[in-house]
Structures are given as structure tokens and as C-alpha cells.
């Protein structure tokens, strides 16, 4: 005789929620409101639904008692050394763990060289409670948003909630600092074609608008190697170079190395200002725009846990002047 017991999918459809939300409501997991939890459980009782832990374990590869909710941090970065070379990601993890506190929710970190295509997401049969997106382009961000709860660090697609620092203001502060300190032959190593890098560029150029000369600029990619090569290019194009804006602190490290090898004294001959305010900046006595990355990540995780939480304003950025400028 065919088993006519209602499935979780039937419960979800009847309750008007996704299958993942129905599962969380029934199992008492995080990520659904109390109203949804009560509605799903009422529907399950009326339909006579009973969870089958053996079937769930076979389907997911994780047994009931061992199953933990998780938040995935998805990073798109082509640099294979990104996780060790870029302090920003470690600061994001620190903020995310701070937000989770003692909650029994796992963090899962995944770095990919490029964002998955929409069709590749069709096999996403065991979605996490939510995803924190970093450097994920708009189209891919929108695809993830259609399949579950997501928050991006920095702007993504219009349909994707995001948390971001005031990059434009930070870039503006760096530009004004170089202008008011008397630098007149200014170069810049900007970042890749991401929203945060474009905002830093726009703010910096706005801050430089009071200077008499134009900025000699080279595009970078937030890596040490590219910044080193870009600085050598700047020196060749503008021998009188007396200042460089680096769009992140990792970029600034490449700038500093190239200047030293060229025999240019930092600050005395060429001022350097970075962006991020990471431990690299403090160790290198580098002037840098501080970005509250830990607060940014914590705010994003809070929004994943409670989508009804109001979107935060842009987080403030502050230039810290040190010996490099």
C-alpha cells in the first residue's frame, strides 16, 4: 500500500513558506519568526506530518542531533592567497563570530575565483540559514537572493540587502589630506571594478578637486604584486611623484616596496595613504582610512538572523595619519 503520509514539501506549501523555513520551524532552529513557527507547526499537526530523521540524514548526510544551522561566507576573489594575504577577511570572520556569540550556528567559509553561474545553483539542495556575500557581482547576488536569505558586504544587486562603510567619505578624507599637506604630483593605485573600490576612487578624486593638477592613476586589484608593478608605472609616468593613494592596505604594501627599491623616501619624498586601517597599516606606520570591518560583518550577520532588523546607515570611516604622510 502506498504511503500517503504528508511530506515536508506539502506542509511548506500549505503553510505558504519555503521548504527550508518549514524545516527550521518544525525543528526549532534559528531563522524563522515565532509567528511562522506556530503556523507551520499547526499545519503539520493538522496534516499529521511526522519528521523522519532517518530520511533526513540520508538526504543531507547529517543526522538529526548532529545537524547544525550554518551561515556561509561566500568570497569571490581570484587571488589564491587571499585568505592569508588580506587581513580584511580575517576581520570579517571576527565580526561574524562576535555576532553569533554562543548561538549554536556554524560559520562556513568558501572562497571561489569567480561567482557561480545561475544554473550551478540549481543543485543547492541543502541551503544554509543565510549567506554573507563578499565581492559577489550583482547578477550572482540576485540569483542567491532568489534562493534564500542573503546580505552582502557592499552593494550588489538592487534586490540584495547590504551593509557597507562610507567608502566615498574615506576616499575624500585621503584626498583632502594630501592636498592640504602640500603634495602636488599625486598618484593613485585604485582597486578593481567593485562597488567599494569605485566609491573609494570617487571620493578620493572629489577630495583632490582642490588641487591644481590632475591625478596620475593606475588600476589595481587589491594585491601586493599588482600594486608593486603599478607604482613602478607611476614613477615612470610622473618622475616628480610626491604622493600615492593606495585603495587598500595590501595595495599600500606593494607601493611601499616599489618606492623603497626606487630609492624614494616615504613621507620625505613621497607620502603614502592606504585604506582599511588594518594591522598592516599600524605595523608599517602607514596613514590609512580606518574601515570598521568587524562591525560591518557583525551587522550583516544580525540582519541574516533577523531580516526585519532595519538596514544600518553607512558605517563611518576615519583617516588615521601616521608617519607615511
Amino acid at each position: 500500500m502506498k504511503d500517503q503520509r504528508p511530506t515536508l514539501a506539502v506542509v511548506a506549501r500549505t503553510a505558504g513558506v519555503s521548504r527550508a523555513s518549514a524545516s527550521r520551524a518544525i525543528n526549532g532552529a534559528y531563522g524563522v519568526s515565532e509567528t511562522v513557527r506556530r503556523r507551520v507547526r499547526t499545519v503539520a499537526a493538522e496534516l499529521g506530518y511526522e519528521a523522519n530523521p532517518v530520511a533526513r540524514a540520508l538526504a543531507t548526510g547529517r543526522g538529526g542531533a548532529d545537524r547544525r544551522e550554518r551561515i556561509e561566507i561566500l568570497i569571490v576573489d581570484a587571488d589564491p592567497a587571499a585568505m592569508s594575504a588580506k587581513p580584511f577577511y580575517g576581520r570579517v570572520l571576527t565580526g561574524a563570530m562576535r555576532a553569533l556569540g554562543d548561538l549554536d550556528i556554524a560559520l562556513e567559509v568558501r572562497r571561489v575565483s569567480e561567482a557561480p553561474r545561475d544554473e550551478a545553483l540549481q543543485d543547492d539542495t541543502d541551503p544554509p540559514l543565510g549567506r554573507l556575500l563578499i565581492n559577489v557581482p550583482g547578477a550572482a547576488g540576485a540569483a542567491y537572493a532568489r534562493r534564500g536569505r542573503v546580505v552582502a558586504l557592499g552593494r550588489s544587486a538592487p534586490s540584495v540587502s547590504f551593509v557597507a562603510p562610507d567608502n566615498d567619505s574615506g576616499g575624500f578624507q585621503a584626498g583632502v589630506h594630501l592636498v592640504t599637506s602640500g603634495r602636488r604630483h599625486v598618484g593613485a593605485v585604485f582597486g578593481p571594478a567593485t562597488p567599494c573600490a569605485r566609491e573609494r576612487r570617487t571620493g578620493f578624486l572629489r577630495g583632490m578637486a582642490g588641487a591644481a593638477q590632475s591625478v596620475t592613476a593606475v588600476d589595481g586589484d587589491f594585491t601586493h604584486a599588482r600594486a608593486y608593478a603599478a607604482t613602478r608605472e607611476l614613477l615612470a609616468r610622473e618622475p616628480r611623484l610626491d604622493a600615492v593613494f593606495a585603495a587598500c592596505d595590501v595595495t599600500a604594501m606593494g607601493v611601499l616596496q616599489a618606492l623603497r627599491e626606487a630609492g624614494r623616501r616615504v613621507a620625505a619624498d613621497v607620502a603614502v595613504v592606504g585604506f582599511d586601517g588594518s594591522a598592516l597599516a599600524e605595523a608599517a606606520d602607514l596613514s590609512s582610512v580606518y574601515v570598521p570591518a568587524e562591525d560591518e560583518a557583525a551587522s550583516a550577520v544580525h540582519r541574516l538572523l533577523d531580516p526585519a532588523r532595519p538596514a544600518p546607515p553607512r558605517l563611518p570611516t576615519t583617516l588615521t595619519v601616521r608617519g607615511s604622510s
Side-chain angles (χ1 to χ4, degrees):
M1 182 176 178
K2 187 177 180 180
D3 189 350
Q4 296 296 322
R5 289 181 300 176
T7 64
L8 180 61
V10 172
V11 172
R13 186 167 58 250
T14 305
V17 299
S18 69
R19 189 180 184 281
S21 293
S23 175
R24 292 181 179 114
I26 289 172
N27 292 301
Y30 298 97
V32 294
S33 68
E34 186 58 34
T35 299
V36 170
R37 197 184 312 279
R38 285 197 300 267
R39 183 168 77 248
V40 170
R41 290 183 175 182
T42 297
V43 169
E46 291 174 348
L47 295 176
Y49 170 79
E50 293 182 3
N52 186 334
V54 175
R56 183 175 65 185
L58 290 173
T60 64
R62 294 179 292 179
D66 296 328
R67 182 182 176 90
R68 295 179 68 192
E69 287 288 1
R70 71 193 196 283
I71 287 176
E72 179 184 84
I73 300 178
L74 177 63
I75 301 168
V76 177
D77 195 316
D79 182 4
M83 299 306 295
S84 59
K86 300 179 180 179
F88 174 76
Y89 296 136
R91 296 177 65 193
V92 166
L93 289 176
T94 298
M97 289 187 290
R98 179 200 303 164
L100 291 177
D102 295 330
L103 297 177
D104 188 25
I105 299 177
L107 273 179
E108 183 176 282
V109 181
R110 185 158 64 103
R111 185 200 66 83
V112 294
S113 295
E114 58 183 24
R117 296 181 180 275
D118 190 48
E119 56 267 22
L121 303 182
Q122 300 297 330
D123 295 331
D124 194 17
T125 56
D126 184 28
L129 169 63
R131 285 188 171 95
L132 187 60
L133 307 180
I134 303 177
N135 302 331
V136 175
Y144 276 113
R146 290 193 294 270
R147 289 169 169 79
R149 189 175 299 177
V150 298
V151 175
L153 296 190
R155 289 184 293 110
S156 181
S159 60
V160 177
S161 172
F162 74 92
V163 180
D166 193 345
N167 291 297
D168 182 276
S169 173
F172 178 78
Q173 293 173 58
V176 169
H177 171 60
L178 293 178
V179 170
T180 56
S181 60
R183 307 293 173 163
R184 290 292 176 267
H185 305 286
V186 179
V189 182
F190 292 126
T194 61
C196 78
R198 287 195 294 266
E199 290 165 359
R200 294 176 185 187
R201 178 185 187 128
T202 299
F204 175 74
L205 293 176
R206 185 164 54 86
M208 289 296 300
Q213 80 297 324
S214 61
V215 175
T216 305
V218 179
D219 288 332
D221 60 3
F222 287 168
T223 66
H224 182 284
R226 175 57 190 146
Y228 174 85
T231 305
R232 292 173 63 90
E233 181 179 340
L234 287 175
L235 289 168
R237 290 169 56 186
E238 176 49 89
R240 298 170 298 173
L241 192 74
D242 63 6
V244 178
F245 169 67
C248 80
D249 288 348
V250 173
T251 294
M253 296 303 107
V255 172
L256 292 173
Q257 180 184 353
L259 290 175
R260 285 196 301 269
E261 292 183 4
R264 307 296 292 272
R265 297 171 300 168
V266 173
D269 298 329
V270 184
V272 180
V273 176
F275 207 113
D276 282 337
S278 66
L280 287 176
E282 187 171 356
D285 198 23
L286 172 71
S287 296
S288 182
V289 177
Y290 176 76
V291 174
E294 293 86 353
D295 294 340
E296 182 184 3
S299 180
V301 169
H302 285 312
R303 293 209 73 196
L304 285 174
L305 296 175
D306 180 11
R309 179 186 288 261
R314 289 289 182 129
L315 303 179
T317 51
T318 307
L319 172 65
T320 299
V321 177
R322 297 189 176 94
S324 68
S325 65

